[in-house]
Amino acid sequence: MKNKILAWLSVGLIVLQVVMILGSWLYAALNPESGVRSMLSSEGIRWAFGGYIHQMQSPLLVWLLLGGMAYGSLRHSRFVESFRTMRYRQRVALRFSLSTLVVYLSVVAFFAFAPHAILLSVNGDLFPSAFSDAAVPLLCFGVILMSVVYGVMAGSFPSVTSVFNALVAGVSSFVPLIIVYLLASHLIYILSYILIL
């Protein structure tokens, strides 16, 4: 059901892009003094092809990839299921993985909140700083670390390949969102080009 909604949303974004491209061409032709740029002009085509990769790069794309990896590791480690069926091995794995998470968060907190911490900005501010720029990746890495430690100790991850497969499965489950993100961000960039934002 979710993929069906995202598929139709993707179709809608593609249709909007086509409408905006053709609409910018017609509007610029009918009102050359308006300041609206045509996507079908030589400048617009060069902009579209030459800047496509640069336009798609953003922290949100990286966050989607890391979020997918965190989701995959958490789901395939069976960490959440351990709260329902608490066998001895799972209890030990749960305690150890949570202890690992606490140590990880303590190290991050030391680097971010201690006086003269290295993740603070030059002025000593938390926002903006290296910490605020890396908050989402730090959270994702924490979830991945906790999940992998739990999965290895509980037997959900018997090999390095199983850990890797869990990360890949998580990213593949986020691929529909990545496709929608790419289409939506391209639509926004087309709009910013047409309206000279």
Side-chain angles (χ1 to χ4, degrees):
M1 183 63 179
K2 182 182 89 171
N3 280 352
K4 185 175 182 180
I5 293 168
L6 292 175
W8 280 106
L9 179 59
S10 298
V11 169
L13 289 169
I14 291 169
V15 168
L16 277 174
Q17 288 182 28
V18 171
V19 167
M20 287 179 62
I21 290 169
L22 294 175
S24 70
W25 172 65
L26 285 171
Y27 193 82
L30 294 173
N31 299 312
E33 302 299 322
S34 66
V36 171
R37 295 191 283 186
S38 170
M39 283 296 299
L40 295 178
S41 67
S42 58
E43 179 188 358
I45 292 171
R46 273 194 306 275
W47 176 86
F49 282 91
Y52 183 77
I53 298 299
H54 177 69
Q55 297 164 10
M56 297 299 111
Q57 297 171 355
S58 82
L60 185 57
L61 182 59
V62 176
W63 295 349
L64 283 170
L65 292 171
L66 291 174
M69 291 168 59
Y71 171 74
S73 64
L74 188 64
R75 183 168 156 244
H76 290 279
S77 70
R78 298 188 183 103
F79 179 84
V80 177
E81 295 170 10
S82 69
F83 293 102
R84 281 182 257 150
T85 57
M86 284 292 232
R87 291 190 286 258
Y88 176 74
R89 184 175 184 178
Q90 291 171 328
R91 278 195 307 268
V92 171
L94 183 64
R95 287 185 192 129
F96 195 78
S97 65
L98 290 176
S99 299
T100 304
L101 181 64
V102 168
V103 169
Y104 171 78
L105 292 175
S106 300
V107 170
V108 170
F110 175 75
F111 286 132
F113 301 114
H116 308 291
I118 60 175
L119 290 180
L120 296 177
S121 70
V122 176
N123 300 332
D125 297 328
L126 194 57
F127 296 99
S129 67
F131 173 77
S132 63
D133 289 343
V136 172
L138 285 171
L139 178 66
C140 291
F141 290 138
V143 171
I144 291 169
L145 177 66
M146 178 190 68
S147 302
V148 169
V149 167
Y150 175 82
V152 168
M153 292 192 70
S156 305
F157 295 142
S159 66
V160 173
T161 306
S162 62
V163 173
F164 184 77
N165 289 339
L167 298 174
V168 170
V171 172
S172 68
S173 66
F174 272 47
V175 167
L177 293 174
I178 293 171
I179 291 170
V180 170
Y181 160 76
L182 292 173
L183 291 171
S185 65
H186 193 248
L187 179 68
I188 290 167
Y189 282 111
I190 287 174
L191 183 62
S192 68
Y193 175 81
I194 291 170
L195 300 178
I196 315 171
L197 298 178

Short mmCIF file of all heavy atoms in Angstrom, two decimals, residues 22-78:
data_model
loop_
_atom_site.label_atom_id
_atom_site.label_comp_id
_atom_site.label_asym_id
_atom_site.label_seq_id
_atom_site.Cartn_x
_atom_site.Cartn_y
_atom_site.Cartn_z
N LEU A 22 7.07 22.80 -19.75
CA LEU A 22 6.30 23.33 -20.89
C LEU A 22 5.68 24.69 -20.56
O LEU A 22 5.66 25.60 -21.40
CB LEU A 22 5.22 22.33 -21.30
CG LEU A 22 5.71 21.00 -21.87
CD1 LEU A 22 4.54 20.07 -22.12
CD2 LEU A 22 6.51 21.23 -23.15
N GLY A 23 5.20 24.84 -19.32
CA GLY A 23 4.61 26.11 -18.92
C GLY A 23 5.62 27.25 -18.91
O GLY A 23 5.32 28.37 -19.32
N SER A 24 6.86 26.95 -18.47
CA SER A 24 7.89 28.00 -18.47
C SER A 24 8.22 28.42 -19.90
O SER A 24 8.45 29.60 -20.18
CB SER A 24 9.15 27.51 -17.76
OG SER A 24 9.82 26.51 -18.51
N TRP A 25 8.22 27.46 -20.80
CA TRP A 25 8.52 27.76 -22.21
C TRP A 25 7.42 28.64 -22.81
O TRP A 25 7.70 29.67 -23.43
CB TRP A 25 8.66 26.45 -22.98
CG TRP A 25 8.77 26.62 -24.46
CD1 TRP A 25 9.78 27.23 -25.14
CD2 TRP A 25 7.83 26.18 -25.43
NE1 TRP A 25 9.53 27.19 -26.48
CE2 TRP A 25 8.33 26.54 -26.69
CE3 TRP A 25 6.62 25.50 -25.36
CZ2 TRP A 25 7.66 26.25 -27.87
CZ3 TRP A 25 5.96 25.20 -26.54
CH2 TRP A 25 6.49 25.58 -27.76
N LEU A 26 6.15 28.27 -22.56
CA LEU A 26 5.04 29.06 -23.10
C LEU A 26 4.98 30.45 -22.46
O LEU A 26 4.81 31.45 -23.15
CB LEU A 26 3.71 28.33 -22.86
CG LEU A 26 3.42 27.13 -23.76
CD1 LEU A 26 2.18 26.39 -23.28
CD2 LEU A 26 3.25 27.58 -25.19
N TYR A 27 5.13 30.51 -21.14
CA TYR A 27 5.03 31.80 -20.46
C TYR A 27 6.17 32.73 -20.87
O TYR A 27 5.96 33.93 -21.09
CB TYR A 27 5.02 31.60 -18.95
CG TYR A 27 4.60 32.83 -18.20
CD1 TYR A 27 3.26 33.15 -18.06
CD2 TYR A 27 5.55 33.69 -17.65
CE1 TYR A 27 2.85 34.28 -17.39
CE2 TYR A 27 5.16 34.83 -16.98
CZ TYR A 27 3.81 35.12 -16.85
OH TYR A 27 3.42 36.26 -16.19
N ALA A 28 7.39 32.19 -20.97
CA ALA A 28 8.53 33.01 -21.38
C ALA A 28 8.38 33.48 -22.82
O ALA A 28 8.79 34.58 -23.17
CB ALA A 28 9.83 32.23 -21.21
N ALA A 29 7.75 32.65 -23.67
CA ALA A 29 7.54 33.05 -25.07
C ALA A 29 6.47 34.13 -25.18
O ALA A 29 6.59 35.06 -25.98
CB ALA A 29 7.15 31.83 -25.90
N LEU A 30 5.42 34.03 -24.37
CA LEU A 30 4.33 35.00 -24.43
C LEU A 30 4.65 36.29 -23.68
O LEU A 30 4.15 37.35 -24.04
CB LEU A 30 3.04 34.38 -23.86
CG LEU A 30 2.45 33.21 -24.66
CD1 LEU A 30 1.29 32.59 -23.91
CD2 LEU A 30 2.02 33.68 -26.05
N ASN A 31 5.46 36.20 -22.63
CA ASN A 31 5.81 37.38 -21.83
C ASN A 31 7.33 37.44 -21.64
O ASN A 31 7.85 37.13 -20.56
CB ASN A 31 5.14 37.31 -20.45
CG ASN A 31 3.65 37.29 -20.53
OD1 ASN A 31 3.07 38.09 -21.23
ND2 ASN A 31 3.03 36.37 -19.82
N PRO A 32 8.06 37.83 -22.67
CA PRO A 32 9.53 37.81 -22.57
C PRO A 32 10.08 38.78 -21.52
O PRO A 32 11.18 38.59 -21.02
CB PRO A 32 10.00 38.20 -23.97
CG PRO A 32 8.82 38.68 -24.71
CD PRO A 32 7.60 38.24 -23.99
N GLU A 33 9.34 39.79 -21.14
CA GLU A 33 9.81 40.77 -20.16
C GLU A 33 9.49 40.36 -18.72
O GLU A 33 9.83 41.08 -17.78
CB GLU A 33 9.16 42.14 -20.44
CG GLU A 33 9.41 42.68 -21.83
CD GLU A 33 10.90 42.90 -22.10
OE1 GLU A 33 11.62 43.32 -21.16
OE2 GLU A 33 11.34 42.62 -23.22
N SER A 34 8.86 39.21 -18.54
CA SER A 34 8.40 38.81 -17.20
C SER A 34 9.53 38.39 -16.28
O SER A 34 9.38 38.40 -15.07
CB SER A 34 7.39 37.67 -17.32
OG SER A 34 8.03 36.52 -17.83
N GLY A 35 10.65 37.98 -16.83
CA GLY A 35 11.75 37.50 -16.01
C GLY A 35 11.71 36.00 -15.77
O GLY A 35 12.61 35.43 -15.16
N VAL A 36 10.65 35.34 -16.24
CA VAL A 36 10.56 33.89 -16.12
C VAL A 36 11.46 33.26 -17.16
O VAL A 36 11.43 33.62 -18.33
CB VAL A 36 9.09 33.41 -16.31
CG1 VAL A 36 9.01 31.90 -16.40
CG2 VAL A 36 8.23 33.93 -15.18
N ARG A 37 12.29 32.31 -16.72
CA ARG A 37 13.22 31.65 -17.65
C ARG A 37 12.61 30.35 -18.15
O ARG A 37 11.98 29.61 -17.39
CB ARG A 37 14.55 31.38 -16.97
CG ARG A 37 15.27 32.65 -16.60
CD ARG A 37 16.69 32.38 -16.17
NE ARG A 37 16.74 31.84 -14.81
CZ ARG A 37 17.88 31.63 -14.16
NH1 ARG A 37 19.03 31.91 -14.72
NH2 ARG A 37 17.86 31.13 -12.95
N SER A 38 12.84 30.08 -19.41
CA SER A 38 12.34 28.86 -20.03
C SER A 38 13.31 27.71 -19.80
O SER A 38 14.51 27.86 -20.02
CB SER A 38 12.14 29.07 -21.53
OG SER A 38 11.89 27.83 -22.16
N MET A 39 12.77 26.57 -19.40
CA MET A 39 13.60 25.37 -19.25
C MET A 39 13.99 24.79 -20.60
O MET A 39 14.92 24.01 -20.68
CB MET A 39 12.85 24.31 -18.44
CG MET A 39 12.81 24.55 -16.96
SD MET A 39 14.42 24.50 -16.18
CE MET A 39 14.95 22.85 -16.53
N LEU A 40 13.28 25.16 -21.66
CA LEU A 40 13.58 24.63 -22.98
C LEU A 40 14.50 25.54 -23.78
O LEU A 40 14.77 25.26 -24.95
CB LEU A 40 12.28 24.36 -23.75
CG LEU A 40 11.40 23.27 -23.14
CD1 LEU A 40 10.12 23.11 -23.93
CD2 LEU A 40 12.15 21.94 -23.07
N SER A 41 15.02 26.61 -23.17
CA SER A 41 16.01 27.44 -23.85
C SER A 41 17.37 26.73 -23.76
O SER A 41 17.55 25.78 -23.00
CB SER A 41 16.10 28.81 -23.17
OG SER A 41 16.62 28.68 -21.86
N SER A 42 18.32 27.22 -24.54
CA SER A 42 19.65 26.60 -24.51
C SER A 42 20.27 26.72 -23.11
O SER A 42 20.90 25.80 -22.61
CB SER A 42 20.56 27.23 -25.56
OG SER A 42 20.67 28.61 -25.36
N GLU A 43 20.05 27.87 -22.47
CA GLU A 43 20.57 28.06 -21.11
C GLU A 43 19.89 27.10 -20.13
O GLU A 43 20.54 26.50 -19.27
CB GLU A 43 20.32 29.50 -20.67
CG GLU A 43 20.80 29.80 -19.27
CD GLU A 43 20.37 31.17 -18.78
OE1 GLU A 43 19.72 31.92 -19.52
OE2 GLU A 43 20.69 31.48 -17.62
N GLY A 44 18.58 26.92 -20.25
CA GLY A 44 17.85 26.02 -19.38
C GLY A 44 18.26 24.57 -19.55
O GLY A 44 18.40 23.83 -18.56
N ILE A 45 18.47 24.16 -20.78
CA ILE A 45 18.89 22.77 -21.04
C ILE A 45 20.30 22.54 -20.49
O ILE A 45 20.57 21.51 -19.87
CB ILE A 45 18.79 22.45 -22.54
CG1 ILE A 45 17.31 22.44 -22.95
CG2 ILE A 45 19.46 21.12 -22.86
CD1 ILE A 45 17.07 22.35 -24.44
N ARG A 46 21.21 23.52 -20.70
CA ARG A 46 22.56 23.40 -20.14
C ARG A 46 22.51 23.33 -18.62
O ARG A 46 23.20 22.53 -17.99
CB ARG A 46 23.44 24.59 -20.57
CG ARG A 46 24.13 24.41 -21.89
CD ARG A 46 25.23 25.43 -22.10
NE ARG A 46 24.78 26.82 -21.94
CZ ARG A 46 24.20 27.53 -22.90
NH1 ARG A 46 24.01 27.00 -24.09
NH2 ARG A 46 23.82 28.78 -22.67
N TRP A 47 21.65 24.16 -18.01
CA TRP A 47 21.52 24.17 -16.56
C TRP A 47 21.00 22.81 -16.06
O TRP A 47 21.50 22.27 -15.07
CB TRP A 47 20.56 25.28 -16.14
CG TRP A 47 20.27 25.30 -14.68
CD1 TRP A 47 20.99 25.91 -13.71
CD2 TRP A 47 19.19 24.65 -14.02
NE1 TRP A 47 20.42 25.69 -12.48
CE2 TRP A 47 19.31 24.92 -12.64
CE3 TRP A 47 18.12 23.86 -14.45
CZ2 TRP A 47 18.41 24.42 -11.71
CZ3 TRP A 47 17.22 23.38 -13.52
CH2 TRP A 47 17.37 23.66 -12.17
N ALA A 48 20.00 22.27 -16.76
CA ALA A 48 19.40 21.00 -16.33
C ALA A 48 20.39 19.85 -16.41
O ALA A 48 20.48 19.04 -15.49
CB ALA A 48 18.16 20.70 -17.17
N PHE A 49 21.14 19.78 -17.50
CA PHE A 49 22.07 18.66 -17.66
C PHE A 49 23.37 18.87 -16.89
O PHE A 49 23.90 17.94 -16.30
CB PHE A 49 22.38 18.43 -19.15
CG PHE A 49 21.28 17.72 -19.86
CD1 PHE A 49 20.28 18.44 -20.49
CD2 PHE A 49 21.23 16.34 -19.91
CE1 PHE A 49 19.25 17.80 -21.15
CE2 PHE A 49 20.20 15.68 -20.56
CZ PHE A 49 19.21 16.41 -21.18
N GLY A 50 23.86 20.09 -16.90
CA GLY A 50 25.14 20.37 -16.27
C GLY A 50 25.11 20.37 -14.75
O GLY A 50 26.10 20.08 -14.10
N GLY A 51 23.98 20.71 -14.17
CA GLY A 51 23.92 20.83 -12.71
C GLY A 51 23.10 19.77 -12.03
O GLY A 51 22.83 19.89 -10.83
N TYR A 52 22.72 18.72 -12.74
CA TYR A 52 21.81 17.73 -12.16
C TYR A 52 22.39 17.08 -10.91
O TYR A 52 21.73 17.01 -9.87
CB TYR A 52 21.47 16.66 -13.20
CG TYR A 52 20.48 15.65 -12.67
CD1 TYR A 52 19.13 15.96 -12.57
CD2 TYR A 52 20.90 14.40 -12.23
CE1 TYR A 52 18.22 15.05 -12.06
CE2 TYR A 52 20.00 13.49 -11.72
CZ TYR A 52 18.67 13.82 -11.64
OH TYR A 52 17.77 12.93 -11.12
N ILE A 53 23.62 16.59 -10.99
CA ILE A 53 24.22 15.90 -9.84
C ILE A 53 24.38 16.86 -8.67
O ILE A 53 24.08 16.53 -7.52
CB ILE A 53 25.58 15.28 -10.23
CG1 ILE A 53 25.39 14.22 -11.32
CG2 ILE A 53 26.28 14.68 -9.02
CD1 ILE A 53 24.52 13.06 -10.92
N HIS A 54 24.83 18.07 -8.96
CA HIS A 54 25.02 19.05 -7.90
C HIS A 54 23.68 19.39 -7.22
O HIS A 54 23.63 19.59 -6.01
CB HIS A 54 25.66 20.32 -8.47
CG HIS A 54 25.82 21.40 -7.46
ND1 HIS A 54 26.72 21.31 -6.42
CD2 HIS A 54 25.20 22.59 -7.32
CE1 HIS A 54 26.63 22.40 -5.68
NE2 HIS A 54 25.72 23.19 -6.21
N GLN A 55 22.62 19.42 -8.00
CA GLN A 55 21.29 19.74 -7.46
C GLN A 55 20.78 18.66 -6.51
O GLN A 55 20.08 18.95 -5.55
CB GLN A 55 20.28 19.90 -8.59
CG GLN A 55 20.57 21.02 -9.53
CD GLN A 55 19.77 20.87 -10.82
OE1 GLN A 55 18.89 20.03 -10.91
NE2 GLN A 55 20.10 21.68 -11.80
N MET A 56 21.13 17.42 -6.78
CA MET A 56 20.60 16.31 -5.98
C MET A 56 21.33 16.13 -4.66
O MET A 56 20.84 15.48 -3.75
CB MET A 56 20.68 15.00 -6.77
CG MET A 56 19.83 14.98 -8.02
SD MET A 56 18.09 15.20 -7.69
CE MET A 56 17.80 16.81 -8.37
N GLN A 57 22.54 16.67 -4.56
CA GLN A 57 23.32 16.49 -3.34
C GLN A 57 22.73 17.32 -2.21
O GLN A 57 22.54 18.52 -2.35
CB GLN A 57 24.76 16.92 -3.57
CG GLN A 57 25.49 16.12 -4.60
CD GLN A 57 26.84 16.73 -4.94
OE1 GLN A 57 27.18 17.80 -4.48
NE2 GLN A 57 27.59 16.04 -5.76
N SER A 58 22.44 16.66 -1.14
CA SER A 58 21.96 17.37 0.05
C SER A 58 22.09 16.45 1.25
O SER A 58 22.17 15.23 1.11
CB SER A 58 20.50 17.79 -0.13
OG SER A 58 19.65 16.73 0.17
N PRO A 59 22.10 17.03 2.45
CA PRO A 59 22.15 16.20 3.65
C PRO A 59 20.96 15.24 3.75
O PRO A 59 21.10 14.14 4.27
CB PRO A 59 22.12 17.21 4.79
CG PRO A 59 22.65 18.46 4.21
CD PRO A 59 22.20 18.45 2.78
N LEU A 60 19.81 15.63 3.22
CA LEU A 60 18.63 14.78 3.33
C LEU A 60 18.84 13.44 2.63
O LEU A 60 18.40 12.40 3.13
CB LEU A 60 17.40 15.50 2.76
CG LEU A 60 16.07 14.77 2.91
CD1 LEU A 60 15.77 14.45 4.37
CD2 LEU A 60 14.95 15.59 2.31
N LEU A 61 19.52 13.44 1.49
CA LEU A 61 19.79 12.19 0.79
C LEU A 61 20.68 11.28 1.64
O LEU A 61 20.43 10.08 1.75
CB LEU A 61 20.43 12.48 -0.58
CG LEU A 61 20.74 11.27 -1.45
CD1 LEU A 61 19.48 10.48 -1.75
CD2 LEU A 61 21.42 11.72 -2.74
N VAL A 62 21.70 11.85 2.24
CA VAL A 62 22.59 11.07 3.12
C VAL A 62 21.81 10.57 4.33
O VAL A 62 21.97 9.42 4.76
CB VAL A 62 23.80 11.92 3.56
CG1 VAL A 62 24.67 11.17 4.55
CG2 VAL A 62 24.61 12.34 2.34
N TRP A 63 20.92 11.43 4.89
CA TRP A 63 20.13 11.01 6.03
C TRP A 63 19.21 9.84 5.68
O TRP A 63 19.00 8.94 6.49
CB TRP A 63 19.31 12.16 6.57
CG TRP A 63 20.10 13.29 7.14
CD1 TRP A 63 21.45 13.32 7.41
CD2 TRP A 63 19.61 14.57 7.51
NE1 TRP A 63 21.81 14.54 7.91
CE2 TRP A 63 20.70 15.33 7.99
CE3 TRP A 63 18.35 15.16 7.48
CZ2 TRP A 63 20.56 16.63 8.44
CZ3 TRP A 63 18.22 16.46 7.93
CH2 TRP A 63 19.31 17.18 8.41
N LEU A 64 18.64 9.86 4.48
CA LEU A 64 17.78 8.76 4.04
C LEU A 64 18.58 7.46 3.94
O LEU A 64 18.11 6.39 4.37
CB LEU A 64 17.13 9.07 2.70
CG LEU A 64 15.94 10.04 2.74
CD1 LEU A 64 15.54 10.45 1.32
CD2 LEU A 64 14.76 9.41 3.46
N LEU A 65 19.79 7.53 3.39
CA LEU A 65 20.62 6.33 3.27
C LEU A 65 21.03 5.80 4.65
O LEU A 65 20.91 4.60 4.92
CB LEU A 65 21.86 6.63 2.43
CG LEU A 65 21.61 6.91 0.95
CD1 LEU A 65 22.88 7.41 0.28
CD2 LEU A 65 21.09 5.67 0.25
N LEU A 66 21.48 6.69 5.52
CA LEU A 66 21.87 6.26 6.87
C LEU A 66 20.68 5.78 7.68
O LEU A 66 20.78 4.81 8.43
CB LEU A 66 22.59 7.40 7.60
CG LEU A 66 23.96 7.78 7.07
CD1 LEU A 66 24.48 9.01 7.78
CD2 LEU A 66 24.93 6.63 7.21
N GLY A 67 19.54 6.45 7.51
CA GLY A 67 18.32 6.01 8.19
C GLY A 67 17.90 4.63 7.74
O GLY A 67 17.46 3.80 8.55
N GLY A 68 18.05 4.36 6.45
CA GLY A 68 17.75 3.02 5.93
C GLY A 68 18.67 1.97 6.53
O GLY A 68 18.23 0.88 6.89
N MET A 69 19.95 2.30 6.63
CA MET A 69 20.90 1.35 7.22
C MET A 69 20.56 1.10 8.69
O MET A 69 20.60 -0.05 9.15
CB MET A 69 22.32 1.89 7.07
CG MET A 69 22.82 1.91 5.64
SD MET A 69 24.35 2.84 5.40
CE MET A 69 25.47 2.00 6.48
N ALA A 70 20.22 2.16 9.41
CA ALA A 70 19.87 1.99 10.83
C ALA A 70 18.60 1.15 10.97
O ALA A 70 18.51 0.26 11.82
CB ALA A 70 19.69 3.36 11.48
N TYR A 71 17.61 1.44 10.12
CA TYR A 71 16.36 0.67 10.16
C TYR A 71 16.62 -0.80 9.86
O TYR A 71 16.10 -1.69 10.55
CB TYR A 71 15.37 1.26 9.15
CG TYR A 71 14.14 0.42 8.95
CD1 TYR A 71 13.14 0.37 9.92
CD2 TYR A 71 13.98 -0.34 7.79
CE1 TYR A 71 12.02 -0.41 9.73
CE2 TYR A 71 12.86 -1.12 7.59
CZ TYR A 71 11.88 -1.16 8.58
OH TYR A 71 10.78 -1.94 8.39
N GLY A 72 17.43 -1.07 8.83
CA GLY A 72 17.73 -2.46 8.46
C GLY A 72 18.46 -3.21 9.56
O GLY A 72 18.13 -4.37 9.87
N SER A 73 19.45 -2.56 10.18
CA SER A 73 20.19 -3.24 11.24
C SER A 73 19.30 -3.48 12.46
O SER A 73 19.35 -4.55 13.07
CB SER A 73 21.43 -2.43 11.63
OG SER A 73 21.06 -1.19 12.18
N LEU A 74 18.45 -2.52 12.79
CA LEU A 74 17.56 -2.68 13.93
C LEU A 74 16.52 -3.78 13.69
O LEU A 74 16.27 -4.63 14.55
CB LEU A 74 16.86 -1.36 14.23
CG LEU A 74 16.03 -1.27 15.51
CD1 LEU A 74 16.92 -1.44 16.73
CD2 LEU A 74 15.31 0.06 15.58
N ARG A 75 15.97 -3.78 12.49
CA ARG A 75 14.92 -4.76 12.16
C ARG A 75 15.47 -6.18 12.08
O ARG A 75 14.90 -7.12 12.63
CB ARG A 75 14.28 -4.38 10.83
CG ARG A 75 13.15 -5.26 10.43
CD ARG A 75 12.36 -4.67 9.27
NE ARG A 75 11.69 -5.72 8.58
CZ ARG A 75 11.90 -6.08 7.32
NH1 ARG A 75 12.78 -5.44 6.61
NH2 ARG A 75 11.24 -7.05 6.77
N HIS A 76 16.62 -6.34 11.40
CA HIS A 76 17.16 -7.69 11.20
C HIS A 76 17.91 -8.23 12.41
O HIS A 76 18.15 -9.43 12.49
CB HIS A 76 18.04 -7.71 9.95
CG HIS A 76 17.25 -7.56 8.68
ND1 HIS A 76 16.60 -8.61 8.09
CD2 HIS A 76 16.97 -6.48 7.93
CE1 HIS A 76 15.96 -8.19 7.01
NE2 HIS A 76 16.17 -6.89 6.88
N SER A 77 18.27 -7.36 13.34
CA SER A 77 18.91 -7.85 14.56
C SER A 77 17.89 -8.47 15.51
O SER A 77 18.25 -9.17 16.43
CB SER A 77 19.64 -6.71 15.28
OG SER A 77 18.71 -5.80 15.83
N ARG A 78 16.61 -8.17 15.27
CA ARG A 78 15.50 -8.62 16.11
C ARG A 78 15.57 -8.00 17.51
O ARG A 78 15.16 -8.61 18.49
CB ARG A 78 15.46 -10.15 16.19
CG ARG A 78 15.24 -10.80 14.85
CD ARG A 78 15.01 -12.29 15.00
NE ARG A 78 14.86 -12.90 13.70
CZ ARG A 78 15.82 -13.60 13.10
NH1 ARG A 78 16.96 -13.80 13.71
NH2 ARG A 78 15.62 -14.12 11.91
#
